[in-house]
Structure formats: structure tokens, C-alpha cells
Amino acid sequence: MPRFAANLSMLYNDLDFLDRFAVAARDGFTAVEYLFPYAYAPEQLAALLQQQGLQQVLFNAPPGDWDRGERGIACIPGREAEFREGITQALRYAKALQCPRLHVMAGLVPAGVDGADAAILRATYIANIRHAAEQAAAQGVHILLEPINGRDMPGFFLSRQDQAHALVAEIGAANVQVQMDLYHCQIVEGDLAMKIRQYLPTGQVGHIQIAGVPERHEPDVGELHYPYLFALLDSLSYDGWIGCEYKPARGAAPHATSDGLGWLKPYLANAQ
């Protein structure tokens, strides 16, 4: 039976962020994820989770200067000290929120990088993730690596499932896993059912996310038939969370997220 987490950075965007927890719980979600918690005190967020009976299942480590277009700094040479400070901050939040997973964004490949420079980026990334994993292990936290499609995020260091799994193997830390976003995977590679069958049994998939393709709306909108994929995940005994990281088709109209949850209701009914 799939377990769904509301991504509060994308869903309920007609409401102030702090008001989204209560509405997600009212709509039947028992868990949440979002991009970044750092604009709020961890104690404030922890209190909201407790009040609404929600679990925090994922958020991102600091990505560098997001407003200026940075999308992670893990692969960027010369930013190691900043990266380590960010991991320390993220783990402090993870402890307060009792969150077992951190997504560490790889970053954008600088223009003109190839050959030896590309090898330096890869080595920097591996060293940074190993450091993050070592620090996170003491808290029982998993570090997640997510391939992201180059249409939504041009130049992102990590875009393919095989690339991510090879990095996990090379990094060699038990608490480093892949965040398998089926939206990104469909855009880059397709053949989702076979990718799920290939990678889920490895134990290296730590979290799954969904959205309709190509518009990134509700999962019942677009070219993917998610009921088949959810049944496949069940058949493979996936017991992790599925993050609903999509943009409501009605945008920020009042109740847009709640009104678009018809796809979710059968799963909530079966869970009762």
C-alpha cells in the first residue's frame, strides 16, 4: 500500500507555508516533505508536525544561493567549507524534526567544464557526500542523491539513474541512497517500470517522488499511468514514502491542491 507525503513547497501554494501543514493533515496526508526549512526555527516546525500528527520524511540540505540560481554546491570545488557548514545546519534541523532523510543537491556544472575539470567535480562531489554521510550516520540519517532532468534544471551534475547508483557504489557508505523521482526519470530515460524493477531490489532507493509528465501536475494528468506503477511498487515490497512533488494544475487558485486529490482518495480509503 503506497504511503504518500505532501510536498509543501509545491502543494497548497495558495496558503502561507506554515498554514499548509494543517490542510495537508486534513486532506489525509500523514507525512510531509519540502525543499528547505531554514527560514523557520526548527522548534516552530517541530511543533507544527506534532500538532498535526505529521511525520517529516525529507528535506534538502542548504543548496548555496538558491535565489541567484545555485542548485547545490556538492560538486563545486572550493566550496567545501560552506558545504560542511550546510550539512551541520541540516543535521541540526533533522534532529529537531526527527527527519531520517536529507537530499543533498549536487549542483550545476560550470560552463565549459570537461575532461580533467569534470573529473575534479566528480571527485569533489564524492568527497563531500562521504563527509555528509559520515556526519549523518551518527544520527541515523540517510543522505539521498537525486538525478534531475536537464530540461527543468539545465546543467545539473546528476541526471541519470545509472549515474546515481554508480556513485552510491563508489561512495561506499551504507546510509547513502538514491532519491528516485519518477517525473525526472521519465523525462530523461523513460522505461520506468523496468527501471523500478532494476533498482528497487538493490536496496539503494531510499525515497520516491511523483508528478504527472510533462507538465508536472497531478499524477493522474499526463502520459504516465501511476496506478500501474504503484501496484508494481507494492509487488516489489516497497515500504518507503512517495513524495507528491507536483504543481497543482489549477495553480494557486483557492483549494487547488485539495480539489485535485481525487487520484489519492482510493488509496486513503484502502488504508483505513
Side-chain angles (χ1 to χ4, degrees):
M1 177 66 197
R3 297 190 298 164
F4 298 98
N7 187 296
L8 299 186
S9 295
M10 288 196 174
L11 302 184
Y12 304 105
N13 55 10
D14 55 319
L15 302 172
D16 289 338
F17 180 75
L18 296 179
D19 294 330
R20 299 176 190 183
F21 292 78
V23 182
R26 185 197 66 195
D27 282 343
F29 287 104
T30 58
V32 296
E33 61 178 41
Y34 39 72
L35 293 181
F36 310 112
Y38 310 110
Y40 307 94
E43 297 80 10
Q44 183 180 23
L45 297 175
L48 281 172
L49 293 168
Q50 184 175 17
Q51 289 166 12
Q52 302 302 331
L54 294 167
Q55 297 180 57
Q56 181 76 49
V57 298
L58 176 74
F59 62 86
N60 291 357
D65 194 334
W66 184 267
D67 292 337
R68 292 190 176 185
E70 291 189 324
R71 295 296 181 263
I73 58 174
C75 76
I76 308 299
R79 306 281 293 274
E80 290 85 353
E82 180 184 351
F83 177 84
R84 292 185 174 209
E85 290 173 1
I87 293 299
T88 298
Q89 181 185 27
L91 288 173
R92 180 168 63 87
Y93 273 80
K95 184 176 182 179
L97 303 179
Q98 300 181 46
C99 182
R101 297 168 200 86
L102 286 177
H103 170 215
V104 177
M105 299 188 74
L108 306 178
V109 176
V113 168
D114 57 16
D117 289 338
I120 292 172
L121 262 61
R122 192 174 192 277
T124 300
Y125 182 71
I126 289 171
N128 277 331
I129 296 300
R130 282 176 175 158
H131 168 80
E134 181 180 0
Q135 299 302 306
Q139 286 183 207
V141 171
H142 280 73
I143 299 297
L144 301 186
L145 318 181
E146 182 187 19
I148 296 177
N149 81 78
R151 184 173 71 200
D152 286 4
M153 204 170 287
F156 195 71
F157 176 82
L158 183 60
S159 63
R160 295 184 57 86
Q161 300 300 309
D162 55 0
Q163 182 188 10
H165 283 269
L167 284 162
V168 167
E170 185 170 350
I171 289 162
N175 63 328
V176 175
Q177 295 179 302
V178 176
Q179 182 171 316
M180 189 178 193
D181 188 313
L182 299 183
Y183 165 80
H184 293 305
C185 186
Q186 171 68 4
I187 291 171
V188 176
E189 304 175 59
D191 202 17
L192 291 185
M194 295 308 294
K195 293 292 188 303
I196 290 169
R197 290 190 177 101
Q198 178 181 357
Y199 292 119
L200 207 62
T202 68
Q204 292 182 350
V205 176
H207 190 67
I208 289 174
Q209 292 176 318
I210 59 170
V213 179
E215 291 90 359
R216 205 172 192 175
H217 293 326
E218 286 83 353
D220 59 347
V221 177
E223 65 194 38
L224 294 179
H225 184 56
Y226 273 107
Y228 172 83
L229 297 175
F230 295 154
L232 175 60
L233 290 171
D234 275 349
S235 75
L236 294 170
S237 301
Y238 177 71
D239 61 356
W241 291 95
I242 298 176
C244 302
E245 192 183 41
Y246 63 82
K247 299 179 291 186
R250 293 179 59 236
H255 315 297
T257 297
S258 299
D259 290 347
L261 289 177
W263 67 270
L264 179 65
K265 291 178 181 178
Y267 299 100
L268 294 179
N270 289 337
Q272 294 175 352

